[in-house]
Amino acid sequence: FAWGGNDYGQAMVPEGLTNVIAVAAGYNHSLALRGNGTVTAWGADDYGQASVPSRLSGVVAIAAGGQHTLALQSNGSATGWGDDTDGQCSVPRNLSGVAAISAGLKHSLALTRGGTVVGWGNDDHGQATVPDGLTAVAAIAAGGEHSLALKSNGLVVAWGANDAGQSTVPTNLAGVVAIAA
């Protein structure tokens, strides 16, 4: 089910869409990951963000950004498509062993199986520049113009834009088990 703004058909789930194991919502497009490792996308497609590459298979995770889309494949590789104006779809060539992905407004993040974070795309506020020495990361979240990492010890690290305090982690915050941006 989908609801909310529907100017581009982003809330109109395609008929017959079944066996969905994950969903993601972008600025004006939506995604569904099916149990067979395929992705279905709908809504705005002005940048190709809803045009799933025909060669894409073995997908285990999806992320929808502003006007771009990311997919994580079972072999640990990531694929991006849609608006690449700031390089947000251009997954670094040497990136492998990816465990998680996250798409922000115009930047992207990947978490490696080794617990390190890689960022790319728009970096106007430092949102794609991962802090030096950031290791032992368990989860990531890319926001509009900021990024978050959850360390395996339950602490949160934030970087990027901070105009609304989104990158100022409360000093008494501990024992965190999940993050979102």
Side-chain angles (χ1 to χ4, degrees), residues 23-46:
V23 295
Y27 185 65
N28 285 316
H29 70 291
S30 302
L31 308 170
L33 172 59
R34 300 179 68 180
N36 65 359
T38 62
V39 176
T40 300
W42 62 97
D45 197 32
D46 47 334

Side-chain angles (χ1 to χ4, degrees), residues 1 9 12 28 32 37 40 52 56 69 72 93 99 102-103 113 120-121 137 139 142 144 153 159 174 179:
F1 292 94
M12 295 180 66
N28 285 316
T40 300
V52 180
L56 189 66
T69 303
L72 172 60
R93 290 180 190 248
S102 188
R113 292 181 186 135
W120 65 94
V137 174
N153 63 2
W159 63 97
I179 54 174

Side-chain angles (χ1 to χ4, degrees), residues 4 33 47 60 64 68 91 105 112 150 157 163:
L33 172 59
Y47 290 94
V60 296
H68 72 289
V91 178
L105 180 63
T112 69
L150 172 61
V157 176
D163 54 313

